[in-house]
């Protein structure tokens, strides 16, 4: 009776108009019929979203309409597309990588049993790591599995070193005891480098630290205690592994360029310090596996439907539902002033559809008393040809409205407004949050100034906030990794008993990481979290190469086998990650280019700085 519904209808009709044809929404050019579907499951439940997408496709297919195609978009569709694309690329590239790896290991071992056992440390390490994370945190994030398995890639090298160093007529246990000090030092130093992440305040980074530490520790134990038991004894490797030949001459030629390593390290650090563009790319949008075409389609459909841009939003936090509604009503009054000044185009809030009890009671109080109402109605009807008592039902409704109980969130359950209001007003961890999404913000400063004096009211740019979150995650990761690098250097000094020997390991490792980072910044315009995690694997790989290039060897045959084991390790890594470059997923391409490039540089730099003979 106070006309609030009329006001609400005016607000709705003032929004962008979507053409309606025979009861169906259409784009303005009439080329697309538009439909909005809401799933009961949340957008991050990919299995449920997959079923929802399939239901829609099946419903469309049953229509049998020719020359019409179905286009789907939205967060749920994005999650399904991303998973299917990554899974498809991983399966396709995994087959190619497996074929190459099996072929290479067959060339070296000529034993299906040894080839199968070569995968055991990585598989066992990944299972142990997932179990450790689950015990420590109660759940394992998908990103932890993806990144963590990447970090365990260095475990592939452990069985290669063990089997390749097997001498004719000796037991595998004897070979293991001979090379174990070097493998053990590599495992411990890599664990030390990653263990700093255990102290992270970000659960994702802490999970990654637990995954890497537990996985590498398990892979080392499997190499030390299980492989010698399961491996065939007395197997004979191809005789070419005992001959250095061209590879040894190649290392000798690289060794003469040893001064290039510190110079390249210095040049890379100077470039990274002085590069005019930003060194780090914290844009969360660029980390998304969603294709540019899918993003463009989503933008078009949102525009055609007049859907709001949810990038900028005001969050009202309060102790109760009613306080949140009252505070959002106060904020709305300020936003209406800004809207009149064209600082923003529009906004939405729950109290528009569900006013606070206080506001409802004020509106009820504005309704006239029955006597006043009847007197006013009598005055209004004077001289008009209406039958007596015609407006009596109307007056009875007004009188009844004065005593109606207030409408609350519980009242809306089961109505068409429940979904709308519950998306803008909800309880979380004991606090009530009222969301006020903004559209067409032209003056951020004016919005922030208007809200500056309001307590428990926050103006949030979701893109900037997410970028800051990624930046904070990356910044802490770098700080923790710096402590990890110090731990690596100390362990190398203790294990090798010489700062000079430790420097032979650290120098090529640092150069490989710095030069790879500089090349990536020049090529991609900045380093993302995917690059950072991939560079962690480069650290482990470079340390493994440096340790074995500097390992004491008693015979020329042993030197040749050491070099061949490193070449096999490098080939498997470069090919495995190099294949990711042909992926359709930008994430996989970033990881592949980083590790493949870094592993190749790590081998070259470790060879350049190795002693005159491979000790």
């Amino acid at each position: 009776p106070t006309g609030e519904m009329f006001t609400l209808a005016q607000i709705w009709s003032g929004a962008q108009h979507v053409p309606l044809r025979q009861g169906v929404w259409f784009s303005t050019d009439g080329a697309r019929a538009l439909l909005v579907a809401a799933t009961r499951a949340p957008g991050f439940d990919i299995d449920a979203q997959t079923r929802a997408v399939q239901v829609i496709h099946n419903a469309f297919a049953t229509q049998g309409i020719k020359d019409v195609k179905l286009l789907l978009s939205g967060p749920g569709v994005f999650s399904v597309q991303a998973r299917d694309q990554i899974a498809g690329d991983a399966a396709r590239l995994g087959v190619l990588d497996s074929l190459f790896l099996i072929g290479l290991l067959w060339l070296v071992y000529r034993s299906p049993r040894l080839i199968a056992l070569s995968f055991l440390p990585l598989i066992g390490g990944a299972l142990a790591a997932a179990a450790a994370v689950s015990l420590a945190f109660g759940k394992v994030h998908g990103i932890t599995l993806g990144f963590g398995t990447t970090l365990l890639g260095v475990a592939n090298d452990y069985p290669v070193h063990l089997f390749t160093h097997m001498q004719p007529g000796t037991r595998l246990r004897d070979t293991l005891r001979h090379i174990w000090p070097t493998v053990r030092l590599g495992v411990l130093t890599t664990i030390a480098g990653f263990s700093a992440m255990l102290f992270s305040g970000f659960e994702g980074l802490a999970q990654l630290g637990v995954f890497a530490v537990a996985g590498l520790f398990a892979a080392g134990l499997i190499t030390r205690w299980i492989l010698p038991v399961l491996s065939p004894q007395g197997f004979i490797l191809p005789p070419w592994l005992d001959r250095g030949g061209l590879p040894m001459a190649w290392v000798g030629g690289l060794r003469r360029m040893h001064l290039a390593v510190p110079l390249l390290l210095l040049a890379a650090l100077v470039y990274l310090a002085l590069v005019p563009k930003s060194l780090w790319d914290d844009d969360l949008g660029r980390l998304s596996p969603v294709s540019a075409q899918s993003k463009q389609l989503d933008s078009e459909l949102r525009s055609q439907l007049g859907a709001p841009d949810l990038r900028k939003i005001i969050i009202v936090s309060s102790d109760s539902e009613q306080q949140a509604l009252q505070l959002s009503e106060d904020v709305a009054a300020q936003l209406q002033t800004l809207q009149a000044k064209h600082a923003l185009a529009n906004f939405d809030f729950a109290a528009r559809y569900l006013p606070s009890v206080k506001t409802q009671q004020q509106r009820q109080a504005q309704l006239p008393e029955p006597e006043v109402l009847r007197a006013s109605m009598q005055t209004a009807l004077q001289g008009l040809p209406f039958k007596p008592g015609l407006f009596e039902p109307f007056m009875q409704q007004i009188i009844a409205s004065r005593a109606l109980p207030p409408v609350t969130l519980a009242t809306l359950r089961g109505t068409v407004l429940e979904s709308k209001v519950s998306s803008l007003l909800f309880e979380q961890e004991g606090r009530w949050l009222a969301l006020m999404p903004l559209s067409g913000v032209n003056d951020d400063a004016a919005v922030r100034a208007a809200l500056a004096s309001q307590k428990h009211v926050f103006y949030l740019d979701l893109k900037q906030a997410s970028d800051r979150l990624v930046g904070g995650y990356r910044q802490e990761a770098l700080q923790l990794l710096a402590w990890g690098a110090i731990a690596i250097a100390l362990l190398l000094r203790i294990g090798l008993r010489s700062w000079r020997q430790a420097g032979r390991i650290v120098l090529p490792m640092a150069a490989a990481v710095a030069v790879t980072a500089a090349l990536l910044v020049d090529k991609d315009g900045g380093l993302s979290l995917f690059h950072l995690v991939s560079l962690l694997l480069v650290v482990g790989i470079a340390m493994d190469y440096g340790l074995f290039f500097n390992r004491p060897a008693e015979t020329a045959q042993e030197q040749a086998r050491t070099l061949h084991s490193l070449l096999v390790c490098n080939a498997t890594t470069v090919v495995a990650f190099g294949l990711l470059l042909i992926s359709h997923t930008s994430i996989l391409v970033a990881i592949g280019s980083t590790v493949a490039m870094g592993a190749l540089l790590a081998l070259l730099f470790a060879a350049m700085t190795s002693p005159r003979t491979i000790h």
Side-chain angles (χ1 to χ4, degrees):
T2 59
E4 300 304 329
M5 193 63 200
F6 179 71
T7 303
L8 195 60
Q10 285 182 314
I11 294 173
W12 283 342
S13 63
Q16 180 175 339
H17 179 63
V18 182
L20 197 65
R21 301 185 182 184
Q22 299 183 30
V24 177
W25 285 334
F26 269 82
S27 59
T28 53
D29 60 4
R32 287 175 178 167
L34 305 174
L35 176 69
V36 177
T39 60
R40 293 188 178 92
F44 53 78
D45 187 343
I46 303 181
D47 291 334
Q49 295 300 320
T50 300
R51 292 192 294 271
V53 168
Q54 190 59 50
V55 165
I56 296 174
H57 278 291
N58 291 341
F60 180 76
T62 59
Q63 304 304 311
I65 305 174
K66 297 181 179 180
D67 302 325
V68 176
K69 62 181 179 179
L70 175 67
L71 300 176
L72 291 178
S73 188
V77 177
F78 287 161
S79 63
V80 174
Q81 289 176 346
R83 185 184 68 173
D84 291 348
Q85 181 172 303
I86 292 175
D89 281 348
R92 177 171 54 91
L93 299 177
V95 170
L96 294 176
D97 178 43
S98 298
L99 291 175
F100 171 82
L101 185 58
I102 291 172
L104 179 61
L105 294 181
W106 176 259
L107 177 66
V108 178
Y109 301 143
R110 310 291 174 84
S111 168
R113 186 174 177 182
L114 288 185
I115 293 174
L117 290 175
S118 296
F119 295 97
L120 192 58
L122 178 61
I123 296 174
L127 292 175
V133 173
S134 181
L135 287 174
F137 298 93
K139 60 182 178 180
V140 185
H141 291 308
I143 195 170
T144 301
L145 287 174
F147 282 170
T149 306
T150 299
L151 291 181
L152 296 186
V154 68
N156 272 331
D157 295 352
Y158 302 158
V160 173
H161 292 313
L162 174 61
F163 296 148
T164 307
H165 281 87
M166 178 69 181
Q167 297 288 343
T170 62
R171 296 184 307 170
L172 191 61
R173 295 179 184 274
D174 297 329
T175 301
L176 181 60
R177 281 194 294 269
H178 189 58
I179 69 168
W180 179 245
T182 303
V183 175
R184 179 181 58 200
L185 185 58
V187 173
L188 292 177
T189 49
T190 306
I191 287 176
F194 294 154
S195 61
M197 291 188 292
L198 299 175
F199 305 100
S200 171
F202 290 99
E203 183 177 314
L205 197 58
Q207 280 202 15
L208 194 59
V210 172
F211 194 99
V213 169
L216 289 171
F217 185 74
L221 292 180
I222 292 171
T223 304
R224 175 66 179 86
W225 299 105
I226 297 180
L227 288 187
V229 176
L230 299 179
S231 301
Q233 302 298 320
F235 58 87
I236 299 177
L237 296 175
W240 58 266
L241 290 174
D242 293 323
R243 298 190 293 269
L246 185 60
M248 294 295 291
W250 171 75
V251 172
L254 289 175
R255 197 179 293 121
R256 288 191 289 270
M257 297 185 291
H258 63 280
L259 291 178
V261 178
L263 292 177
L264 286 172
L265 171 60
L266 180 62
L269 292 176
V270 170
Y271 174 79
L272 292 174
L274 302 179
V275 62
K277 46 192 170 185
S278 176
L279 178 60
W280 295 100
D281 183 3
D282 296 327
D283 185 354
L284 194 60
R286 293 191 60 179
L287 302 181
S288 171
V290 180
S291 67
Q293 293 83 353
S294 296
K295 293 179 182 178
Q296 177 63 28
L297 174 62
D298 187 71
S299 177
E300 291 177 4
L301 293 178
R302 283 183 174 275
S303 175
Q304 291 168 354
L305 278 167
D309 178 11
L310 299 181
R311 171 176 170 173
K312 298 182 179 181
I313 192 169
I314 294 173
I315 302 176
V316 176
S317 175
S318 189
D319 295 327
S320 68
E321 170 192 334
Q322 290 305 312
Q323 288 181 354
L325 287 171
Q326 290 178 29
L327 191 52
S328 62
E329 288 171 342
D330 295 338
V331 174
Q334 294 177 296
L335 294 181
Q336 287 172 349
T337 302
L338 294 175
Q339 192 175 8
K341 297 178 180 179
H342 305 291
L344 73 158
N346 204 354
F347 65 95
D348 202 4
F349 63 115
R352 172 171 289 169
Y353 316 98
L354 177 64
S356 66
V357 171
K358 179 181 178 181
T359 299
Q360 293 183 55
Q361 291 174 342
Q362 289 174 346
R363 291 174 180 172
Q364 281 182 311
Q366 294 174 1
L367 297 175
E369 296 284 349
E371 297 77 8
V372 177
L373 176 62
R374 293 185 185 281
S376 299
M377 181 63 69
Q378 192 66 31
T379 301
L381 292 176
Q382 288 181 3
L384 297 178
F386 292 107
K387 293 180 180 180
L390 180 65
F391 292 99
E392 185 62 27
F394 170 70
M395 289 189 290
Q396 291 298 328
Q397 288 178 358
I398 293 180
I399 294 171
S401 295
R402 288 176 52 84
L404 286 177
V407 179
T408 64
L409 192 58
T411 312
L412 299 183
R413 288 186 184 139
T415 71
V416 293
L417 280 177
E418 178 186 14
S419 176
K420 178 69 173 179
V421 175
S422 61
S423 68
L424 298 173
L425 177 69
F426 50 87
E427 186 179 14
Q428 187 177 72
E429 298 179 357
R431 299 286 294 178
W432 279 88
L433 302 179
L435 307 184
M436 306 180 71
L438 310 181
S439 301
V441 177
N442 301 315
D443 192 342
D444 269 301
V447 176
R448 295 185 186 279
L451 303 175
S453 61
Q454 294 274 12
K455 292 183 178 180
H456 309 299
V457 177
F458 310 94
Y459 176 46
L460 188 64
D461 185 321
L462 292 179
K463 183 179 185 305
Q464 292 180 358
S466 59
D467 290 349
R468 283 197 301 269
L469 184 64
V470 173
Y473 189 94
R474 182 257 308 160
Q475 185 64 31
E476 183 177 10
L478 289 173
Q479 293 172 354
L480 294 173
L481 292 175
W483 287 107
I486 295 174
I488 288 174
L490 291 176
L491 274 179
L492 287 174
R493 168 62 180 82
I494 295 171
L496 299 174
R497 301 178 183 178
S498 167
W499 280 114
R500 183 178 181 183
Q501 286 292 94
R504 287 184 181 275
I505 312 299
V506 173
L507 177 61
M509 178 179 66
V513 171
V515 173
T516 301
L519 293 174
L520 289 172
V521 170
D522 182 68
K523 170 181 172 290
D524 297 335
L527 301 177
S528 69
L529 276 177
F530 298 107
H531 293 120
L532 178 58
V533 174
S534 302
L535 288 173
L536 296 182
L537 177 56
V538 174
V539 169
I541 292 171
M543 194 150 29
D544 179 69
Y545 294 169
L547 285 169
F548 271 91
F549 263 118
N550 289 271
R551 191 182 73 85
E554 298 176 357
T555 65
Q557 289 80 8
E558 186 177 355
Q559 295 174 10
R561 290 200 172 209
T562 296
L563 179 56
H564 282 122
S565 71
L566 291 171
L567 291 175
V568 171
C569 291
N570 186 256
T572 57
T573 301
V574 171
V575 171
F577 286 92
L579 283 172
L580 297 181
L581 296 176
I582 63 176
S583 168
H584 299 97
T585 307
S586 59
I587 298 173
L588 298 181
V589 173
I591 294 174
S593 61
T594 304
V595 178
M597 187 191 313
L600 187 58
L601 290 175
L603 183 71
L604 293 174
F605 293 161
M608 290 178 181
T609 56
S610 63
R612 286 296 174 184
T613 57
I614 304 179
H615 293 287

